Amino acid sequence: MKATALTMNPAPPTTSFAEVLGHGSLAILAYAILGVLLLIAGFYVIDLATPGRLSKVIRTERNPNATLLASSSLAAVGLIVAASIWSSGGVLREGLLATLVFGLVGIVAQTLGMVVFDRVAGISVRELVQEPTLQPAALLLAVTHFVIGLVTAVAVI
């Protein structure tokens, strides 16, 4: 009797539901930790690109302009990190490395774009974050910072 290819190949290995849950949970945890670290790095890069200590200006002086600019920039960094994770392809080790590299490059691109736009628009962030009330220019820059992050995130994908 002649064996067919069908009977010669062993059955594909099966993965238990517990293994799938365990691997998935560890992947989520790893990406979450990396994402939080990138957000922290993004905050400090944004802090360096704006006048004064953002945390002090926001917490102590309760400045709405600084808060809006920092929040929009962090949302933009979050988009970049999420796009980096999305584009990672599902292989954990390579995905974490790609997320780290794309996340850092995205943070730099977003920050440079933010600084350039602020200068081209002729809006002094230094003066803006000293204003005690919310200013229309802060809204414009906040949307611009967010959109620069969105464009950078789409470029990652």
Side-chain angles (χ1 to χ4, degrees):
M1 178 174 230
K2 197 171 185 185
T4 65
L6 187 58
T7 60
M8 296 289 287
N9 294 332
T14 59
T15 304
S16 73
F17 185 61
E19 290 173 320
V20 170
L21 286 178
H23 182 267
S25 296
L26 288 175
I28 290 169
L29 183 61
Y31 279 118
I33 290 169
L34 180 57
V36 168
L37 291 174
L38 285 168
L39 282 172
I40 291 169
F43 179 80
Y44 282 109
V45 170
I46 292 162
D47 189 18
L48 289 172
T50 56
R53 283 294 286 183
L54 274 179
S55 57
K56 179 182 179 279
V57 172
I58 292 168
R59 187 178 54 244
T60 306
E61 298 172 21
R62 304 177 61 84
N63 185 285
N65 299 301
T67 303
L68 181 60
L69 293 176
S71 299
S72 65
S73 296
L74 278 179
V77 170
L79 284 172
I80 294 165
V81 171
S84 298
I85 293 169
W86 178 265
S87 69
S88 67
V91 180
L92 185 58
R93 184 176 295 128
E94 290 85 356
L96 288 170
L97 181 59
T99 299
L100 175 63
V101 171
F102 292 154
L104 290 173
V105 170
I107 289 168
V108 169
Q110 193 264 344
T111 304
L112 289 175
M114 175 185 86
V115 169
V116 168
F117 183 84
D118 294 358
R119 291 214 172 115
V120 168
I123 299 171
S124 170
V125 175
R126 179 174 303 284
E127 292 174 12
L128 189 60
V129 298
Q130 292 175 356
E131 290 289 329
T133 59
L134 187 60
Q135 299 296 308
L139 295 171
L140 171 67
L141 292 183
V143 170
T144 304
H145 296 175
F146 182 79
V147 171
I148 290 169
L150 179 61
V151 168
T152 304
V154 171
V156 168
I157 296 173

